[in-house]
Amino acid sequence: MTDKTRNDDPFCSREILSETLFYGTKSFYVLYDIKPVVPGHVLIIPKRHVMGITELTNVEFMELHGLLRMLIPKMLRLYKSDGSYNIVLQTGRYSGMSIRHMHIHLVPRNRRDRYQIRNNRLYVDLERNRKGMGRKFVDSEVKRLRKAFESLAQSHKSDLNSA
Ligand SMILES: [Zn+2]
């Protein structure tokens, strides 16, 4: 299912993708965002039709890591960033994901970019949802998550208990 090429999404349809494609590796495409928020806004897209990061194989994940280590400094140099950038990955219907095929936004930032004023927009929007999520809520969530992650965190258990 996840290996299937879909014609109903623009990232599986090579025709559309090739319009702004500028680099590729064995498993990933790198293309310019067709509606960039700042200059240098590019997308890293797995060639396989996957929805999210957890569907990548270990080999693909390592390839992605290598790609990012090459791509990020290069893009920041090209767009004269001082080292500032955003990585955005939205997954699933309620995340703001638009095209239902995994895509990582790499957004180089610099002090002149016009998006700067909206940097905290995400938090402004999210603050509206804060009601009912005070300290008591946080404490209960932490308790729940510690329990859920208990078996994975055996080596750190003493750290948690002494905290
Ligand atoms: Zn696809």
Side-chain angles (χ1 to χ4, degrees), residues 1 3 28 32 34 38 44 53-54 61 71 77 87-88 102-103 111 118-119 130 140 142 149 154 157:
M1 177 92 176
D3 284 309
F28 295 89
Y32 207 89
I34 201 95
V38 296
I44 300 126
I53 204 162
T54 57
F61 206 91
L71 186 69
R77 260 199 317 277
I87 291 273
V88 180
M102 179 183 164
H103 52 289
R111 68 175 183 275
R118 286 186 284 180
N119 265 345
R130 265 191 171 163
S140 76
V142 170
F149 282 77
Q154 287 304 318
K157 206 166 185 181

Side-chain angles (χ1 to χ4, degrees), residues 4-6 9-13 47-50 100-101:
K4 205 173 123 191
T5 294
R6 309 281 180 85
D9 85 59
F11 298 150
C12 277
S13 154
K47 291 181 180 177
R48 272 196 317 125
H49 183 83
V50 298
R100 295 175 65 75
H101 179 137

Side-chain angles (χ1 to χ4, degrees), residues 65-77:
H65 182 236
L67 173 58
L68 290 172
R69 289 190 65 159
M70 178 283 292
L71 186 69
I72 292 170
K74 195 173 175 66
M75 290 299 291
L76 298 187
R77 260 199 317 277

